[in-house]
Amino acid sequence: MSRVAAPGAAGCSGQVLAMALGALGWLAFMRGITGGLWLMAIGLFVAGAAAAERRWAELVTALCGVRVGQAMTSLVVTGPDWLTVDRFLSEVAAEARHSVLPLLDFDGRPSGVVRLHSLAAVPSARQASLCAREVATPLSWCTLAAPDELLNFVLERLGAGGVLSIPVMEDGRLRGIIPGRDIDRARRQPRAPSAPPRSRPPLQPPGSRGRHGIRPGPPRQPRD
């Protein structure tokens, strides 16, 4: 019944299931059943997926209370989406500090994000004729965030298999980007403890004696 604890519980149960499949496959293989190898392979696959889900759940839990604006990088290198791949690699990617860069259209509005290794993987014969937007991921397919949004909610939308490079938008404009290293830095950054509430002295009835003498009561009304 807890959205924070559910992914961690699912990861733990997946690891237990993977161990059971691996043990069952090993016993079957020792008895001469070759199908046990398939159970062992499935167990290894489930174990890897469950471990990734558990690590992701721990990351989301550790970032509770952190805002997107605290983890984003505001100085972002962007590139025109109409540039060819060879020009983009030589003119834009050389100054980039991140492996995923936002793209802007002719009006200066974000149109998508592109991975540098995807651009580098384009064959040399096509780099001069292929535009960067044809290799990029459209903005409509990306997980977007707002500066005042909680980071753990954004990561829940992204999912464990998502790309840790989240464009931060505000009023239709790009305000920053959250690369994976900034998320890890926000997770390891110590948080200032909240100040404890100031205790008030207990209320005492009028005329009682306290630390500073007798507490005066309300003034008496003159009688007629």
Side-chain angles (χ1 to χ4, degrees), residues 67-69 72 144-150 154 157 167-170:
R67 299 286 176 180
V68 170
M72 75 176 186
L144 305 179
D148 58 345
E149 194 174 1
L150 288 174
V154 178
R157 295 202 310 266
V168 182
M169 304 288 295
E170 187 178 22

Side-chain angles (χ1 to χ4, degrees), residues 132-147:
R133 60 172 171 263
E134 301 180 54
V135 190
T137 301
L139 194 67
S140 58
W141 295 3
C142 299
T143 299
L144 305 179

